[in-house]
Amino acid sequence: MQNSESTTINVAETKKETKGKAPLLAAPMATSSAVVETKGGYKKGIAIFDFILRLCAIAATLAATVAMGTTEQTLPFFTQFFQFQASYDDFLTFQFFVIANAIVTGYLVLSIPFSIVCIVRPHATGPRLLLIIFDIVMVALATAAASSAAAIVYLAHNGNSSANWNAICQQFTDFCQSVSGAVVGSFVAVVIFVFLVVLSAFALRKN
Amino acid sequence: MQNSESTTINVAETKKETKGKAPLLAAPMATSSAVVETKGGYKKGIAIFDFILRLCAIAATLAATVAMGTTEQTLPFFTQFFQFQASYDDFLTFQFFVIANAIVTGYLVLSIPFSIVCIVRPHATGPRLLLIIFDIVMVALATAAASSAAAIVYLAHNGNSSANWNAICQQFTDFCQSVSGAVVGSFVAVVIFVFLVVLSAFALRKN
């Protein structure tokens, strides 16, 4: 009898306690934990997609760097004093292109561990914020490299009559083809980078 | 006596209640509300800074557009059939520069109301996310315009011996000066834009 009384008292107490807490603690806890669950999954998805995009961007920038850095063409005819040769390092813009793309590739490789941290801990804002800040700087660098090279490639293809600059692609066809390919690869990397920053912005926004 | 007893019971109850809740509810509530207070002020500061930076960027891109768009120089000597004249629209890159900078200026003017919304409601993520997505696209556009024009300006100043392109700035000094100024203005806008995106990323991060 004593035993049963103590149990009823216990039941009443716990009932009262849950009643008192229900509107204050239990209900919000339940919803917030559910929200965290779904948001966690959505943020993890973003982090995995971010990781895959980074791998694609590495491929694009590496290909662009190598394509530009190995570009060289010597024409099969030459005069007594001069051999017609075109190399990427005759153009300051193309040198900048190679250096900038090498930097971007290096950054991307270094950013992979941080991207993995974001997959493991989707709610950590520290690595995410670090990535978005460097990503935006790299967007600017990669775009600068790609578009300045594109301006020179356009000039090489079409020339400019006002400035009396001749198109050189009639002679250096292989050179122009390889350089154009590198520029395209670099622009692909820029587009991927823009997506990366947008994804990071979505992942950063508060729950 | 009955009254005093009831009060003591009440006191005991509230004491027990606060004791029971202290580690679960009361303490976190207090800290989180304090955090929201301080974060609100800090986010409002970011939003105001964002607004000021946008005004500076408008000035920079507008100046770049106008400087490039009005650039034209006619040399004081001419042959019977040809007058030496350089205009920005002789170069496709410079035309792109003017169009891109005009688009960026237009976007910046349209973004001002959203920036004001962010000042009034520092915790709203909608307008902030909208701004960061378009900002990053505009970073790419402004950088592309600035750096492709810079590549051509460099060529105009220095020429390129491999491609047999002559420097034209010896003749068209005013043209080159004005175009270089426009490029510098555009790069200032790019730097401001990068800051804008970084600021937005900080403002976006969850409390």
Side-chain angles (χ1 to χ4, degrees), chain B residues 67-81:
Chain B
M68 183 64 89
T70 57
T71 295
E72 203 169 357
Q73 188 184 6
T74 307
L75 291 188
F77 53 87
F78 47 88
T79 65
Q80 199 174 357
F81 303 109

Side-chain angles (χ1 to χ4, degrees), chain A residues 1-2 54 73-75 85 89 174 191 201:
Chain A
M1 188 64 181
Q2 174 66 27
R54 262 168 223 282
Q73 189 184 7
T74 307
L75 292 188
Q85 186 178 17
D89 53 8
D174 289 355
V191 171

Side-chain angles (χ1 to χ4, degrees), chain B residues 159-172:
Chain B
N160 186 293
S161 56
S162 303
N164 203 20
W165 292 337
N166 299 312
I168 58 165
C169 282
Q170 269 96 46
Q171 288 92 52
F172 295 101

Side-chain angles (χ1 to χ4, degrees), chain A residues 16 24-25 90-91 123 129 132 136 140 143-144 147-148 151 154-155 160 162 165-166 201-202 204-206, chain B residues 13 21 25 90-92 123 129 132-133 136 140 143-144 147-148 151 155 160 162 165-166 201-202 204-206:
Chain A
K16 203 174 83 187
L24 286 167
L25 191 70
D90 292 334
F91 297 85
H123 292 286
L129 208 59
I132 201 172
I136 174 74
T143 311
S147 53
S148 57
Y154 175 82
L155 215 56
N160 186 294
S162 304
W165 293 337
N166 299 313
F202 270 102
L204 257 184
R205 92 179 156 166
K206 60 176 185 239
Chain B
E13 215 168 65
K21 276 175 194 165
L25 191 70
D90 292 335
F91 296 86
L92 195 92
H123 292 285
L129 209 60
I132 202 173
I133 291 170
I136 176 72
T143 312
S147 53
S148 56
L155 214 56
N160 186 293
S162 303
W165 292 337
N166 299 312
F202 270 102
L204 257 184
R205 92 179 157 168
K206 61 177 184 236

